[in-house]
RNA sequence: GCCUGGGUAGCUCAGUGGUAGAGCAGCGCACUCGUAAUGCGCAGGUCAGGGGUUCAAGUCCCCUCCCAGGCUCCA
């Protein structure tokens, strides 16, 4: 009907407004609070400004701050304010792009005269931003013809490049779908103006005015290459975070602190677990006795499970002649990630191995194989070396020397789906035993231009993996083009105690290496067949898994993985003999226990062992010696449990260890700072 | 590799041109104590390494090494 438009709301209801009404009008019509809260709107799946006129029949929802979309809008608007502040403080600064990202935003700049931001500049910029927010400047959208836009951004090379890209092909993310009213091969672009001082090329949407912003904080500066390309100019990137309320901002900053407190590098030093002596080299860790013990416990349990799961244990050397990696294709595809070769007398080149697979293939090929043997599952904690670029090494999670809990399954094609399924089940079960239980799966497909093998092979492998992944009853996300050069993979992503996700296990399907190495087995038909190969690592790498567990538990490892499980504290010297008896009783039950004698006050000793996150601290004094009891301080509890019979405590702890129990996962967080 | 910020005692850090400091940890002695730091003392540093400026350098300049964050979120 002329003169009116009818729109549909998220709850299914419809509302009729005068023609020409905007999203803001709709919000007002729904309610005063919504009108005050509204930041933007979603019209037929497209995010738009509140000032957008609503078309008849549209499905509309109002975007408010405390939503993912709302936060994205206000972060992006805050990025604009950042750019406005920087251009005010550095006249002539060029600004490139400034998107919203997870938890925040950034903007990339090219400052006049090659100037660089310093940390101190962040404060000045932030002050200027707060001034702009205080002026409550409206964000005003305009459409410009391409040639007008090019002249408007005459001094802005990066903006001009973006506009030129739009003009050429209607860049993805621009043009038709995003601007809504612009056809593909667009001839116009949109800009946003706030005050006369600042205008930016932008799709929008934006908050109505800068006064709607304010709960933000600039965090750091960093270099970032234009378009992520290290052959192009490096820009100065400013990162910040922005939220819908002071409370949300504060909570986010607190989460960052919490993550820092859990940083495995810090815990590794505090708990004396491992270190990275610069004398050894970047990305090369040493494990100290306590860390070594934890690592051995992790590995031993894994070995036990693998043995029960039908894996056979193999060993292979750390270096090999180049031939092996020429055949495998690694030297063609992975040479950048490998340490340079060692040249021997006869001109023979030896490489440190970056992967274990070719060695396991050699074991397969050491004699003729029969179909009766398949599937063959070879397992090894294989230490490999990868030349990570100096800027990317990070604690134990990105290192240059690493140990994979690596196995290769060789099977007949018809066994493939079944093996994949049992492997995935095995993976998830094992990870749960370490206390991780929040998973999702990711399917990585053929990397364009960086893969070997035919499309048909990739198609078959990918379909098989997808089918198996879908049967797992977990969320599955697609990682287009993320596969290895020899095959697609499923990776298991795990969310830790503070909600971060980590890529752990990978299961890769491989038709290529069996072919390159001319692997075969004799089938029941007495003919030769090519086996399928499945690569899989559950921890990913032992070092990285160690770091993830450490952060997941904030250093308070479950008792079965704690290097020291029980410390016994005699109140006075004359309780020593009984304390030793208590420790010996624990040891006899298979627990790792120590006595810390009374050369220091009790309070000091309690404090030290609590900070070292020992699961059980037992105190014995005058009351305990005659009664055969102990005072039990369980990690994560505030008050001791006094006068508990020794055999009761020992039995309980031993049972907890046997069950891999998790009494209070990370529960002492609030107590120890 | 590149950008920004760092490197001072085992650890955390103070010290911006004029005699290298603190707390914790370590060692010694005393204290013998019932639930998150007992007291006193001692030792510990070519201020990352090298070069330069200066009467004088931890401090200013240059080079190298190492560490952290970022360079993957694309108007």
């Amino acid at each position: 009907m002329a003169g009116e438009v009818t729109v549909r709301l998220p709850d299914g209801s419809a509302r009729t407004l005068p023609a020409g009404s905007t999203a803001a009008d709709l919000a007002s019509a729904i309610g005063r609070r919504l009108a005050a809260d509204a930041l933007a709107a979603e019209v037929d799946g497209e995010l738009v400004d509140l000032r957008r006129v609503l078309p008849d029949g549209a499905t509309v929802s109002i975007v408010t701050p405390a939503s993912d979309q709302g936060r994205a809008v206000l972060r992006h608007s805050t990025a604009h304010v950042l750019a406005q502040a920087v251009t005010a403080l550095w006249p002539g600064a060029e600004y490139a792009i400034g998107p919203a990202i997870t938890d925040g935003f950034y903007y990339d700049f090219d400052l006049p005269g090659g100037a660089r931001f310093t940390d101190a500049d962040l404060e000045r910029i932030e002050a200027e931003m707060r001034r702009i927010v205080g002026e409550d400047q409206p964000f005003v959208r305009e459409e410009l013809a391409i040639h007008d836009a090019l002249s408007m951004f005459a001094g802005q090379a990066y903006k001009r490049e973006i506009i030129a890209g739009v003009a050429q092909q209607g860049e993805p993310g621009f043009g038709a779908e995003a601007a809504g009213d612009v056809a593909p091969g667009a001839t116009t672009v949109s800009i946003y103006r706030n005050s006369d001082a600042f205008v930016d090329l932008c799709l929008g949407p934006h908050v109505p005015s800068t006064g709607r912003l304010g709960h933000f904080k600039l965090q750091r500066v960093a270099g970032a290459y234009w378009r992520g390309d290290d052959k192009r100019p490096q820009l100065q990137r400013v990162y910040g975070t922005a939220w819908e309320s002071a409370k949300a901002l504060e909570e986010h900053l607190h989460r960052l602190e919490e993550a820092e407190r859990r940083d495995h590098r810090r815990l590794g030093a505090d708990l004396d677990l491992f270190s990275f002596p610069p004398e050894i080299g970047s990305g090369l860790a040493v494990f100290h006795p306590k860390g070594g013990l934890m690592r051995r416990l992790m590995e031993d349990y894994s070995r036990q499970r693998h043995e029960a799961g039908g894996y056979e244990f193999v060993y292979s050397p750390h270096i090999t002649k180049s031939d092996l990696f020429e055949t495998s294709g690694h030297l063609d595809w992975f040479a950048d990630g490998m340490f340079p070769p060692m040249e021997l007398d006869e001109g023979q080149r030896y490489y440190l191995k970056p992967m274990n697979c070719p060695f396991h293939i050699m074991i397969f090929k050491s004699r003729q194989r029969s179909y009766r043997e398949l599937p063959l599952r070879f397992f090894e904690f294989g230490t490999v070396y990868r030349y990570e670029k100096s800027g990317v090494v990070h604690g134990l999670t990105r290192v240059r020397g690493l140990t994979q809990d690596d196995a290769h399954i060789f099977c007949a094609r018809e066994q493939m789906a079944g093996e994949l399924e049992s492997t995935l089940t095995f993976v998830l079960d094992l990870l749960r035993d370490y206390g991780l239980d929040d998973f999702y799966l990711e399917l990585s497909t053929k990397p364009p231009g960086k893969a070997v093998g035919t499309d048909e092979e990739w198609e078959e492998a990918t379909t098989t993996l997808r089918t198996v992944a879908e049967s797992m009853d977990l969320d599955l996300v697609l990682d287009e083009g993320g596969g290895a050069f020899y095959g697609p993979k499923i990776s298991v992503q795990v969310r830790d105690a503070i909600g971060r996700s980590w890529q752990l296990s990978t299961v890769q399907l491989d038709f290529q290496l069996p072919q390159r190495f001319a692997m075969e087995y004799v089938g029941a038909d007495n003919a030769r067949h090519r086996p399928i190969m499945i690569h899989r690592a559950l921890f990913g790498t032992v070092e990285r898994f160690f770091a993830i567990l450490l952060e997941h538990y904030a250093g308070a490892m479950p008792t079965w993985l704690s290097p020291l499980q029980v410390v016994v504290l005699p109140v006075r010297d004359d309780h020593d003999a009984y304390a030793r008896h208590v420790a010996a009783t624990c040891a006899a039950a298979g627990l790792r226990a120590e006595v810390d004698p009374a050369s220091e006050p009790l309070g000091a000793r309690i404090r030290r062992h609590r900070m070292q996150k020992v699961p059980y601290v037992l105190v014995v004094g005058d009351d305990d010696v005659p009664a055969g009891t102990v005072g039990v301080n369980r990690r994560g509890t505030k008050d001791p449990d006094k006068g508990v019979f020794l055999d009761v405590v020992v039995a309980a702890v031993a049972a907890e260890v046997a069950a891999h129990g998790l009494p209070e996962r990370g529960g002492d967080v609030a107590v120890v700072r």
Side-chain angles (χ1 to χ4, degrees), chain A residues 228-528:
Chain A
D229 180 350
D230 62 12
K231 305 211 172 30
R232 311 197 64 174
Q234 189 168 43
L235 306 173
Q236 294 277 297
R237 175 169 297 178
V238 176
Y239 280 95
T241 186
W243 295 82
E244 69 275 16
S245 67
K247 182 158 175 279
L249 173 62
E250 197 180 308
E251 282 169 1
H252 174 67
L253 296 176
H254 184 260
R255 278 195 295 277
L256 293 181
E257 275 173 34
E258 173 64 18
E260 194 179 333
R261 208 185 58 75
R262 286 173 179 255
D263 191 315
H264 72 277
R265 295 165 300 178
R266 177 195 194 92
L267 290 168
D270 288 352
L271 304 180
D272 194 17
L273 302 177
F274 57 84
S275 59
F276 293 90
E279 291 85 344
I280 297 177
S282 184
L284 299 168
V286 287
F287 282 76
H288 303 186
K290 282 184 193 163
L293 177 52
M294 269 172 55
R295 176 171 173 164
R296 205 196 76 219
L297 293 162
M298 284 166 45
E299 292 178 352
D300 281 351
Y301 182 68
S302 166
R303 283 197 184 90
Q304 206 180 305
R305 291 293 307 267
H306 277 85
E307 190 166 22
Y311 288 82
E312 301 177 280
F313 293 72
V314 299
Y315 292 89
S316 62
H318 290 202
I319 65 173
T320 174
K321 290 195 283 194
S322 56
D323 309 42
L324 211 53
F325 289 117
E326 278 160 17
T327 306
S328 71
H330 283 96
L331 283 170
D332 290 333
W333 299 98
F334 198 69
D336 284 353
M338 292 170 68
F339 276 89
M342 285 165 268
E343 202 81 44
L344 267 65
D345 298 341
E346 339 264 90
Q348 187 61 253
R349 290 144 80 88
Y350 279 79
Y351 282 91
L352 281 169
K353 65 172 171 181
M355 290 182 186
N356 302 301
C357 9
F359 297 84
H360 293 183
I361 292 173
M362 291 299 111
I363 297 169
F364 181 98
K365 288 185 59 168
S366 64
R367 64 177 168 78
Q368 196 169 57
R369 298 289 176 178
S370 153
Y371 75 97
R372 294 172 193 275
E373 295 180 83
L374 304 186
L376 273 171
R377 307 185 188 94
F378 293 157
F379 177 90
E380 175 178 17
F381 278 110
T383 301
V384 301
Y385 296 90
R386 296 180 181 176
Y387 183 73
E388 302 286 356
K389 287 195 291 180
S390 68
V392 307
V393 299
H394 177 90
L396 286 175
T397 60
R398 196 83 183 265
V399 288
R400 285 178 168 170
L402 49 119
T403 303
Q404 296 180 302
D405 60 329
D406 207 3
H408 296 94
I409 300 171
F410 304 100
C411 64
R413 216 173 183 96
E414 55 275 17
Q415 294 172 318
M416 176 170 76
E419 275 302 299
L420 285 171
E421 193 168 347
S422 64
T423 300
L424 260 183
T425 308
F426 180 78
V427 172
L428 298 173
D429 278 356
L430 185 66
L431 293 179
R432 287 189 183 104
D433 284 344
Y434 290 89
L436 301 168
D437 51 15
D438 189 359
F439 307 114
Y440 67 95
L441 301 176
E442 191 169 276
L443 177 64
S444 302
T445 60
K446 184 175 179 176
K450 275 188 62 177
V452 294
T454 65
D455 284 346
E456 292 71 41
E457 287 170 330
W458 275 88
E459 182 57 38
E460 183 189 349
T462 308
T463 305
T464 308
L465 277 181
R466 184 195 308 272
T467 308
V468 172
E470 282 168 352
S471 72
M472 282 294 125
D473 200 25
L474 291 170
D475 288 343
L476 177 66
V477 301
L478 201 61
D479 170 30
E480 203 72 61
F485 67 84
Y486 50 75
K489 69 177 181 195
I490 293 178
S491 51
V492 177
Q493 313 277 330
V494 60
R495 290 193 198 82
D496 73 7
I498 57 171
R500 296 171 300 182
S501 54
W502 305 84
Q503 179 180 314
L504 275 183
S505 319
T506 58
V507 180
Q508 302 186 326
L509 199 45
D510 184 357
F511 296 136
Q512 303 307 322
L513 289 183
Q515 193 174 320
R516 286 174 162 255
F517 282 95
M519 299 174 74
E520 46 190 32
Y521 65 91
V522 178
D525 57 359
N526 199 31
R528 296 181 181 241

Side-chain angles (χ1 to χ4, degrees), chain A residues 94-97 106 108-111 114-116 156-159 161 222-237:
Chain A
E94 292 193 47
Y95 42 108
I97 57 170
Y106 66 79
D108 287 347
F109 300 97
D110 191 354
L111 297 181
R116 314 278 183 213
Q156 295 285 339
Y158 303 101
K159 296 295 177 192
E161 186 174 325
Y225 295 102
W226 171 234
R227 305 272 198 194
D229 180 350
D230 62 12
K231 305 211 172 30
R232 311 197 64 174
Q234 189 168 43
L235 306 173
Q236 294 277 297
R237 175 169 297 178

